[in-house]
């Protein structure tokens, strides 16, 4: 009896395994279908999309994951995304082109718990330039001043036909569509820069820009740029620098406390770092430190003059890059008076007191003389009237 039960169980188990194996062998995984990179007209914000592999469209109990990899054509490192969705969006510099690839992973009851990978499907996207490279702009440069005002400038291409001009278009996630520059910076009626309106900018977002040119007979080469606005910030200089003595030492030196205030504006104070320069001869500047604090201490001789200047930059906790501000106005401590200077000051004060006293007595003397003259005139008038 026991042998019959074991024999029957072995047959059933074998049949189940064969059935599962037959299902597993029946499942094949093709690459995702209709894989493409789509330009929605946002100057670099692209949609990478695909469809479920044909071999899995009518198969149940087959969860599918996709491994998407993409890069600019000039890069060597793939960015990788694992997702169950059928599209993914990201920003690109269209002047470099885009390469993407994707494959599907199936694991579930339909594969008996095993992982099945498809081959890679690949897609490319390249902007076709309809003009020569010599007509593209040069030295494109942008600065986001104090998180308030963005200014971009450029130079003309090496070939610039007579009567041509440039046009800038831009887009970021806060806009429903791409816009053109509303405030061009001109030189001899040629657009060589753009000022952007504050309320149309987002501090932490990617901004996509296209600068193209046009003339009567043909268009000039287009230049595409992807900007991280938070990495282009140039703060205003620190304000209200104050230098005071914090501690005197027995060796005739003293610690000078240098303090300042962050610049006013949209940049949070905790996002700024500072560099301090000091000088004792107003010629040679010495860098003290780069710090997040709004004060520092520097030891000098008691009789030495001291001047300081400060500049700021957005720190690594709020951005990956940025520009240093201009230097603040130079602030100097009041030099302690020397013995000779003290003597001159004392003599000056004494001389001033003597002058004041002399003027006082002269005024009193004049008053006395005037009073006597008036008294004599009244007496004389009375004698005349009496006679």
């Amino acid at each position: 009896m026991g042998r019959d039960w074991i024999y029957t169980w072995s047959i059933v188990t074998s049949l189940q395994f064969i059935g599962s194996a037959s299902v597993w062998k029946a499942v094949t995984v093709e690459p995702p279908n209709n894989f493409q990179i789509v330009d929605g007209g946002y100057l670099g914000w692209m949609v990478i999309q695909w469809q479920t592999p044909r071999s899995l469209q009518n198969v149940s109990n087959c969860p599918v994951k996709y491994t998407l990899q993409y890069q600019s054509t000039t890069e060597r490192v793939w960015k990788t995304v694992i997702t169950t969705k059928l599209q993914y969006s990201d920003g690109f510099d269209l002047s470099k082109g885009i390469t993407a690839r994707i494959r599907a992973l199936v694991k579930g009851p339909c594969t008996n718990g095993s992982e099945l990978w498809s081959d890679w499907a690949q897609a490319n996207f390249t902007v076709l330039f309809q003009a020569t490279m010599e007509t593209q702009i040069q030295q494109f440069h942008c600065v986001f001043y104090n998180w308030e005002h963005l200014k971009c400038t450029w130079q003309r291409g090496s070939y610039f036909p007579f009567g041509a001009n440039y046009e800038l278009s831009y887009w970021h996630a806060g806009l429903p569509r791409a816009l053109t520059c509303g405030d061009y910076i001109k030189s001899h009626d040629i657009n060589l820069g753009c000022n952007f309106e504050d309320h149309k900018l987002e501090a932490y977002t990617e901004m996509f820009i296209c600068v193209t040119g046009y003339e009567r007979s043909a268009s000039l080469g287009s230049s595409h740029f992807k900007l991280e606005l938070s990495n282009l910030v140039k703060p205003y200089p620190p304000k209200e620098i104050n230098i005071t003595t914090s501690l005197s030492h027995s060796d005739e030196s003293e610690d000078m406390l240098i303090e300042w205030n962050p610049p006013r504006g949209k940049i949070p104070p905790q996002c700024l770092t500072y560099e301090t320069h000091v000088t004792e001869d107003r010629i040679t500047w010495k860098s003290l430190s780069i710090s997040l604090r709004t004060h520092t201490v520097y030891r000098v001789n008691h009789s030495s003059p001291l001047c300081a200047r400060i500049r700021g930059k957005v720190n690594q906790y709020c951005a990956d890059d940025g520009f240093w501000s201009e230097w603040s106005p130079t602030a100097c401590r009041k030099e302690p008076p020397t013995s000779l200077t003290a003597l001159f000051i004392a003599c000056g004060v004494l001389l001033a007191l003597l002058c004041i006293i002399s003027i006082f007595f002269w005024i009193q003397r004049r008053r006395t003389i005037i009073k006597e003259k008036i008294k004599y005139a009244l007496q004389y008038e009375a004698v005349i009237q009496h006679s």
Side-chain angles (χ1 to χ4, degrees), residues 365-382:
R365 178 60 180 167
R366 291 292 299 171
R367 286 180 177 177
T368 302
I369 293 174
I370 292 172
K371 287 181 179 180
E372 290 180 353
K373 287 183 177 181
I374 293 174
K375 181 180 179 181
Y376 176 77
L378 292 174
Q379 290 178 352
Y380 179 77
E381 183 179 359

Side-chain angles (χ1 to χ4, degrees), residues 79-97:
K79 294 182 180 179
T80 301
V81 177
I82 298 176
T83 179
T84 59
K85 299 180 179 180
L86 297 177
Q87 70 174 29
Y88 185 81
S89 299
D90 201 353
F92 297 89
D93 181 350
L94 294 186
S95 64
K96 300 177 181 179

Side-chain angles (χ1 to χ4, degrees), residues 165-191:
N165 211 336
Y166 294 107
E167 182 179 84
L168 181 145
S169 302
Y170 67 99
W171 180 86
H172 58 76
L175 298 177
R177 56 183 175 81
L179 301 178
T180 57
C181 177
D183 183 12
Y184 282 109
I185 301 170
K186 298 177 178 289
S187 176
H188 303 289
D189 293 327
I190 298 175
N191 301 332

Side-chain angles (χ1 to χ4, degrees), residues 303-369:
S303 59
S304 297
L306 180 67
C307 296
R309 62 185 184 185
I310 318 293
R311 64 177 181 173
K313 182 181 179 181
V314 176
N315 59 45
Q316 68 272 22
Y317 301 106
C318 298
D320 296 326
D321 202 355
F323 302 101
W324 284 103
S325 72
E326 302 296 330
W327 289 105
S328 67
T330 300
C332 300
R333 73 158 175 169
K334 295 180 180 180
E335 300 182 9
T338 61
S339 56
L340 184 60
T341 303
L343 179 61
F344 281 134
I345 293 175
C347 292
V349 172
L350 181 60
L351 182 61
L353 289 175
L354 291 176
C355 290
I356 293 173
I357 294 173
S358 299
I359 292 172
F360 175 77
F361 281 111
W362 180 80
I363 293 174
Q364 293 298 324
R365 178 60 180 167
R366 291 292 299 171
R367 286 180 177 177
T368 302
I369 293 174

Side-chain angles (χ1 to χ4, degrees), residues 31-33 35 100-103 118-123:
N33 188 33
F35 181 52
R101 63 186 185 183
I102 192 170
R103 63 177 179 172
S118 74
D119 292 331
W120 289 101
Q122 185 164 325

Side-chain angles (χ1 to χ4, degrees), residues 251-254 256 280 300-306 333-339:
D251 59 353
E252 296 186 354
S253 65
E254 53 189 356
M256 304 305 299
E280 297 182 42
V300 296
N301 291 328
H302 179 72
S303 59
S304 297
L306 180 67
R333 73 158 175 169
K334 295 180 180 180
E335 300 182 9
T338 61
S339 56

